[in-house]
């Protein structure tokens, strides 16, 4: 095989490490290393000389370690066998990561197990080329972003799970609220992962958590979101869960078609009114009356306009005799409708509707000239 005259990088831009295909070198071989790169010579699996960016002619001046290993006679053109690796030391910021399957975590606030997914991206830079090649690359011919994700998937999945769990427990927040802490979580994960990557000659430039989501189709997630929506509704309206349950029980009782429904509804309303006290008790006490009357035929009291059973005569709120109230008669003087037959004065003209003796105050029926009790003469315009 011919000895290589010129060695230069021919790998893809996204590769972190690339091995030159040929191993036949010579003391006259030109080695070209670009900016942000380093070239390393390997012999027998050992990393020997490191070349920063520049152009080199292999000689005793720039490969002293290899010269000691091989004891090359550099007086002429001496061929030898060695591996040349290129390591890209530029920052790479677009390495994307994510959880392949949901992570089961217990919500510390609501004590339910919820699956979560997380994804984001991170950036790295190769700080120690020798450590990177020896501890991580091994016998591979190339090492790119997919290799990084493959080797460190277990690391970032474990760290992400531990970090999210710690934040949930220590801050006592729900999983559905974790996105409000993404920035803090990203910094926390970077601090946790940096020491591990440093062992392989890698510096973690940044680590971002872009989103933490929960699958909408999960049963636990749906129940939790429904409960939170219900809680928000109760906060807006102004009642709590116990009051809502009492309302449901009361409504079911008064709508029971059994014969004891009315009594049961009234009893619940009275009991709740006494036990709860204040405005809430009065509201539920009144609610029992409204629901009880709505469960059967009702009518409106002509005096106070309150709802009451249709078969009842007296209003429970104002005591109005609805039977008499409904008997409308006209005023004999102005013709206005009178609210009941026992009304003493006309609400329109103010005239007295019953005659009485001015002396003995005995009632006078009809239009007699004298009082039937004391004989006092009655004047027509007395009224």
């Amino acid at each position: 095989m011919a000895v290589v005259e010129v060695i230069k990088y021919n790998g893809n831009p996204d590769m972190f490490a690339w091995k030159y295909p040929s191993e036949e070198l010579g003391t006259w071989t030109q080695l070209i290393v670009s900016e942000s790169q380093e070239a390393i010579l390997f012999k027998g699996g050992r990393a020997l000389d490191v070349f920063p960016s520049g152009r080199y002619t292999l000689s005793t001046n720039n490969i002293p370690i290899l010269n000691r290993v091989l004891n090359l006679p550099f007086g002429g053109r001496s061929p030898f066998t060695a591996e040349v690796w290129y390591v890209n030391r530029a920052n790479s910021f677009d390495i994307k990561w994510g959880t392949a399957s949901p992570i089961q975590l217990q919500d510390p606030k609501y004590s339910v197990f919820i699956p979560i997914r997380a994804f984001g991206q991170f950036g790295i830079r190769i700080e120690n080329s020798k450590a990177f090649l020896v501890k991580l690359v091994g016998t591979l011919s190339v090492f790119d972003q997919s290799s990084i994700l493959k080797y460190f998937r277990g690391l970032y999945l474990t760290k992400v799970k531990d970090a999210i769990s710690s934040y949930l427990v220590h801050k006592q927040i729900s999983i559905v609220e974790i996105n409000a802490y993404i920035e803090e979580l990203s910094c926390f994960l970077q601090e946790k992962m940096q020491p591990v990557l440093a062992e392989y000659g890698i510096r973690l430039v940044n680590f971002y958590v872009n989103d933490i989501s929960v699958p909408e189709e999960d049963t636990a997630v749906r129940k939790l979101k429904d409960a939170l929506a219900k809680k928000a509704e109760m906060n807006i309206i102004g009642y709590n869960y116990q009051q809502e349950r009492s309302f449901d029980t009361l409504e079911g009782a008064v709508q029971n078609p059994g014969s004891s429904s009315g009594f049961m509804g009234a009893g619940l309303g009275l009991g709740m009114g006494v036990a709860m006290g204040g405005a809430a008790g009065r509201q539920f006490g009144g609610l029992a009356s409204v629901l009880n009357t709505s469960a059967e035929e009702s009518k409106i009291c002509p005096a106070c306009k309150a709802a009451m059973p249709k078969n009842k005569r007296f209003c429970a709120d104002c005591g109005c005799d609805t039977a008499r109230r409904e008997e409308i008669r006209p005023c004999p003087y102005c013709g206005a409708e009178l609210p009941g037959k026992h009304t003493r004065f006309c609400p329109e003209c103010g005239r007295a509707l019953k005659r009485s003796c001015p002396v003995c105050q005995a009632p006078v029926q009809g239009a007699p000239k004298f009082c039937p009790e004391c004989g006092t003469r009655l004047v027509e315009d007395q009224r």
Side-chain angles (χ1 to χ4, degrees):
M1 182 178 293
V3 177
V4 179
E5 296 288 341
V6 179
I7 299 176
K8 63 179 180 179
Y9 181 82
N10 290 323
N12 294 328
D14 62 343
M15 291 183 180
F16 294 103
W18 178 79
K19 177 184 175 183
Y20 190 79
S22 178
E23 299 180 4
E24 300 299 323
L25 309 180
T27 54
W28 61 90
T29 300
Q30 299 291 310
L31 178 64
I32 302 174
V33 183
S34 301
E35 291 289 342
S36 72
Q37 289 183 342
E38 281 186 347
I40 302 177
L41 266 65
F42 278 76
K43 180 66 176 179
R46 294 177 55 192
L48 303 178
D49 295 286
V50 179
F51 297 87
S53 61
R55 185 182 182 95
Y56 304 90
T57 299
L58 300 185
S59 66
T60 55
N61 294 329
N62 51 41
I63 50 173
I65 299 179
L66 182 63
N67 184 34
R68 290 196 300 269
V69 172
L70 299 179
N71 194 19
L72 294 175
F74 281 97
R77 297 165 63 88
S78 302
F80 60 95
T81 301
E83 299 176 1
V84 178
W85 277 89
Y86 282 90
V87 176
N88 284 324
R89 300 191 60 189
N91 293 335
S92 180
F93 295 106
D94 59 344
I95 305 177
K96 295 178 173 57
W97 64 271
T99 55
S101 58
I103 304 173
Q104 292 287 340
L105 294 177
Q106 185 177 17
D107 193 302
K109 195 171 183 179
Y110 303 109
S111 302
V112 295
F113 284 92
I114 296 180
I116 67 167
R117 293 180 182 272
F119 63 88
Q121 65 182 44
F122 61 92
I124 64 172
R125 181 173 68 245
I126 308 302
E127 290 285 333
N128 190 327
S129 300
K130 276 190 176 182
F132 177 71
L133 290 174
V134 172
K135 293 186 177 182
L136 197 60
V137 178
T139 59
L140 299 176
S141 59
V142 294
F143 197 92
D144 54 11
Q145 291 187 5
S146 61
S147 303
I148 288 285
L149 292 177
K150 176 183 176 182
Y151 275 80
F152 293 104
R153 177 175 288 111
L155 170 65
Y156 67 70
L157 287 181
T158 301
K159 295 299 183 182
V160 165
K161 182 178 179 179
D162 291 345
I164 295 177
S165 300
S166 300
Y167 260 76
L168 294 177
V169 173
H170 294 158
K171 295 183 176 292
Q172 286 297 301
I173 59 176
S174 173
I175 291 177
V176 297
E177 303 169 350
I178 190 63
N179 278 314
Y181 300 85
I182 280 184
E183 184 175 357
E184 298 179 21
L185 197 58
S186 299
C187 297
F188 180 77
L189 282 168
Q190 182 175 351
E191 294 176 359
K192 291 294 183 180
M193 294 179 62
Q194 175 56 48
V196 180
L197 294 177
E199 297 178 3
Y200 298 91
I202 302 174
R203 178 183 176 185
L204 186 62
V205 180
N206 53 49
F207 190 93
Y208 296 117
V209 180
N210 296 129
D211 187 36
I212 299 175
S213 59
V214 294
E216 298 293 336
E217 67 277 4
D218 186 78
T219 305
V221 175
R222 289 201 305 267
K223 289 184 178 179
L224 178 57
K225 289 191 174 182
D226 290 343
L228 293 176
K230 188 65 177 178
K231 180 181 178 182
E233 178 185 355
M234 290 189 293
N235 290 337
I236 294 173
I237 296 176
Y239 63 96
N240 55 33
Y241 178 76
Q242 289 78 10
Q243 292 174 336
E244 183 191 19
R245 295 299 301 158
S246 300
F247 175 83
D248 294 339
T249 303
L250 175 61
E251 184 176 19
V254 298
Q255 291 182 354
N256 188 346
S259 59
S260 61
S261 62
F263 175 79
M264 186 175 183
L268 281 172
L270 179 60
M272 291 171 61
V274 174
M276 297 179 66
R282 290 192 296 272
Q283 291 174 0
F284 279 98
L287 179 62
S289 175
V290 173
L291 292 176
N292 191 28
T293 56
S294 63
E296 57 186 16
E297 294 185 4
S298 61
K299 63 180 180 180
I300 303 299
C301 173
C304 66
K305 308 303 181 182
M308 59 179 294
K310 189 175 182 179
N311 59 350
K312 302 298 182 182
R313 178 174 176 177
F314 295 94
C315 176
D317 290 339
C318 66
C320 175
D321 186 349
T322 58
R324 291 186 177 182
R325 187 81 180 210
E326 292 172 355
E327 298 176 2
I328 303 299
R329 61 190 179 91
C331 174
Y333 303 105
C334 64
E337 292 186 352
L338 302 177
K341 65 181 181 179
H342 296 289
T343 305
R344 298 180 61 184
F345 296 94
C346 175
E348 294 293 333
C349 64
R351 303 287 291 274
L353 301 178
K354 292 182 180 180
R355 294 184 66 189
S356 60
C357 176
V359 178
C360 67
Q361 302 299 322
V364 178
Q365 301 294 333
K369 294 182 178 181
F370 299 95
C371 174
E373 294 294 332
C374 64
T376 302
R377 182 180 178 83
L378 303 177
V379 183
E380 285 295 330
D381 59 350
Q382 176 180 321
R383 298 182 187 178

